[in-house]
Amino acid sequence: MPVLVPHRIRRKLRSTLRSRQSPSSSLASLQTSLSPSDTLRSLRSHRWSYYDGQYLILIILGVFSLAINPAGPVMKTGAVALLMLSLILPLTRQFFLPFLPIGTWLVFFFNCRFVPAMYRPPIWVRVLPALENIFYGANLSNILSAHKHIILDVLAWIPYGVTHFGAPAVCSAVLFVFSAPGTVPVFARSFGYANIIGVAIQLLFPCSPPWYENMYGLAPANYAMEGSPAGLAAIDKLFGIEFYTTTFTASPLVFGAFPSLHAANATLEALFMSHVFPKLRPLFILYTLWIWWATMYLSHHYAVDLVGGSLLAGVTFFIAKANFLPRLQYDKIFRWDYDYTEVGDAPAGYSYGLADLDADFHHPGADSDEWAVGSSTSVSSGSISPVEDGHSLWEGETLASHSDSEQGR
C-alpha cells in the first residue's frame, strides 16, 4: 500500500510533536516499548540495593505456593512463563512489576488450603473472645449482630461483600489520575505486602471467628471444618443465590480471623486517598468505620481483629510515606501537571526553592516550581528529574527508587 505522506514530512512532523512535549509529560508518560532489549538495558543500569531483597521474598512465596499446589507441571510452567513474559516486555512490565506483591498475595492465599494439617499450628478458639472481653468488657460482635433486619443486612453486605473487592481498583484509577506519578506503584506494593503479612499471620496464628463461637461455642476446632457465610447467608437467601455460601464454605483460610484484612484494606485505601484528598478525610474515615461495623454485624470478625488489621495497614502506610511515596504538590491537580516528584517525608524546615525567602515572598498564586526543578535542594530532598537521560525505568518502578541515589549519575 503506497505511503500517502512523504518520509521527510513525517519525520519533520514527529520532530515538531516531540519538541512540544513538556518535562511533565515525560515524567507522567507510560512505556509503549515491546522490546526485551530495553528491559535488559534497564536491568544493567539498575543500581541494586537491599530494597531489592523484596523480590527474593516474593520468589520464595511463589515457589512455596506452586510446590504445594496439586496442579500439573504444564499448568505451573505456563503460569511462570506468562509472568516472565509480562516482566520482559516494557509495556507490560510497568504494570505487572508493581502488581507482583498483590499477585503473590493472591497465589499465597488461595494455596493455603493445600498446606497439610499436620504442619499447621493448633487453632486458637478462646484467645480472641478473651481479648475482646479484656479490652472492651463485652463481645462487640455479638452485641452488634444480636438484632437482625433485612435493611441492616444489605447495609452490611454493600461494603463487606461488594465495595471491598472493587475499592482497590477504583482507588488505583483515582490515584493514577490525581496524584503524583509513582503513587500508584507504591499503593500497589503497600497493598500487596500488607495482605501478604496478614495472610502469614493468619496461617501461623489461626483463630476462630465469631460465627464459630455462635455455632460451636468454645469447643476445639480442627482443619477439617468448613467455613461459614455467617450473616451473608441472608444475602444469598434475599437474592436466591448461593454465592457467599459456596465461597466462604470453601475458604482457603477458614480460621483466618486475625487480623481482619477487610479492615486492613479499607484503612490502607483511606490513608492513601486522604494523602491525596485531605479535605475528604472524614468521608474515608466513615467508609472505614462502615467496614468495621459490617464485619462485626455479619459475625466475621471480632473488634480486636479490626484493630489488628488497621494497625497493620497504618504501619505499612507510614513506612511507605516516609520512604517511597511521592510528596503531594498542592498546586497540581493531575499527574500530568507534575514537572518533578520528591519521595519520602520532607526534612524539618524544608521548603521548595529559596527556603528562607519563600516565607516572605510566597503568596497563594505563586508558582515555586521554577526554583525547585533541577536545584540542589530538590535533588538532595529526594526529587526525580523528569528529563534525566540516565534515569532507569526499572528503578522508577521499584521501591528502591531513591532519587538521591540517582544524583551521582
Side-chain angles (χ1 to χ4, degrees):
M1 180 176 180
V3 179
L4 300 179
V5 182
H7 174 71
R8 181 179 300 176
I9 297 178
R10 295 203 314 270
R11 186 172 60 183
K12 184 176 181 180
L13 180 61
R14 285 197 300 266
S15 176
T16 302
L17 292 175
R18 289 173 181 171
S19 66
R20 291 182 179 179
Q21 285 187 335
S22 65
S24 59
S25 64
S26 174
L27 178 67
S29 62
L30 297 176
Q31 286 292 312
T32 59
S33 172
L34 293 173
S35 174
S37 61
D38 292 336
T39 297
L40 297 177
R41 190 180 304 111
S42 296
L43 277 172
R44 284 195 298 266
S45 62
H46 177 63
R47 303 183 67 175
W48 299 93
S49 71
Y50 62 88
Y51 286 112
D52 293 302
Q54 62 181 302
Y55 299 113
L56 179 60
I57 298 175
L58 298 181
I59 290 173
I60 293 174
L61 289 175
V63 171
F64 169 77
S65 300
L66 290 178
I68 63 176
N69 190 293
V74 175
M75 183 176 295
K76 295 180 181 179
T77 304
V80 174
L82 288 176
L83 175 62
M84 296 303 297
L85 179 63
S86 68
L87 296 177
I88 289 176
L89 303 179
L91 175 63
T92 55
R93 187 183 76 239
Q94 61 189 331
F95 302 107
F96 279 92
L97 192 61
F99 182 77
L100 268 182
I102 298 179
T104 304
W105 155 57
L106 292 173
V107 171
F108 182 39
F109 171 72
F110 284 106
N111 282 282
C112 283
R113 71 180 76 219
F114 301 119
V115 178
M118 65 179 68
Y119 298 116
R120 292 190 178 192
I123 302 168
W124 298 89
V125 174
R126 301 174 181 270
V127 171
L128 296 183
L131 291 177
E132 192 88 349
N133 283 281
I134 292 173
F135 290 144
Y136 312 112
N139 189 322
L140 298 183
S141 177
N142 286 345
I143 293 175
L144 292 176
S145 61
H147 304 284
K148 296 287 188 178
H149 193 278
I150 188 61
I151 295 179
L152 295 178
D153 293 340
V154 173
L155 287 177
W157 162 66
I158 291 174
Y160 192 89
V162 180
T163 61
H164 166 74
F165 300 99
V170 173
C171 289
S172 297
V174 172
L175 293 174
F176 179 81
V177 175
F178 295 102
S179 64
T183 301
V184 175
V186 176
F187 171 69
R189 287 190 173 87
S190 301
F191 189 89
Y193 285 121
N195 280 277
I196 287 175
I197 294 173
V199 170
I201 295 174
Q202 293 173 351
L203 189 62
L204 298 174
F205 182 59
C207 297
S208 59
W211 61 258
Y212 179 90
E213 183 181 1
N214 296 338
M215 295 176 63
Y216 305 105
L218 298 179
N222 62 78
Y223 289 107
M225 292 180 169
E226 294 181 337
S228 170
L232 288 174
I235 299 300
D236 282 349
K237 182 179 179 181
L238 176 65
F239 293 108
I241 59 177
E242 294 185 356
F243 176 76
Y244 293 104
T245 300
T246 303
T247 302
F248 282 92
T249 298
S251 173
L253 278 174
V254 174
F255 299 101
F258 182 88
S260 168
L261 295 184
H262 275 75
N265 294 347
T267 303
L268 196 63
E269 292 154 3
L271 289 170
F272 271 91
M273 295 295 284
S274 297
H275 172 74
V276 178
F277 306 102
K279 293 183 179 179
L280 298 179
R281 183 175 288 111
L283 180 63
F284 303 134
I285 294 176
L286 183 63
Y287 171 73
T288 304
L289 294 177
W290 189 15
I291 285 279
W292 275 42
W293 168 77
T295 58
M296 290 187 288
Y297 175 81
L298 296 172
S299 298
H300 279 270
H301 287 286
Y302 294 99
V304 67
D305 305 333
L306 307 177
V307 173
S310 292
L311 284 176
L312 173 61
V315 171
T316 303
F317 171 77
F318 287 108
I319 290 177
K321 180 176 180 292
N323 298 279
F324 312 114
L325 189 63
R327 298 177 206 162
L328 194 65
Q329 299 174 19
Y330 293 100
D331 58 333
K332 306 295 193 298
I333 299 178
F334 303 105
R335 64 179 279 116
W336 300 276
D337 296 332
Y338 282 77
D339 299 313
Y340 63 93
T341 57
E342 297 177 296
V343 298
D345 288 333
Y350 168 78
S351 61
Y352 297 115
L354 302 178
D356 295 330
L357 297 179
D358 185 66
D360 297 329
F361 294 103
H362 179 73
H363 55 86
D367 186 0
S368 60
D369 289 354
E370 63 182 13
W371 298 108
V373 176
S375 68
S376 60
T377 304
S378 64
V379 172
S380 62
S381 61
S383 67
I384 301 177
S385 173
V387 292
E388 219 174 330
D389 294 335
H391 177 64
S392 167
L393 175 64
W394 190 273
E395 283 189 349
E397 294 171 340
T398 68
L399 289 180
S401 177
H402 284 287
S403 54
D404 52 350
S405 68
E406 300 168 359
Q407 185 179 357
R409 294 189 178 185

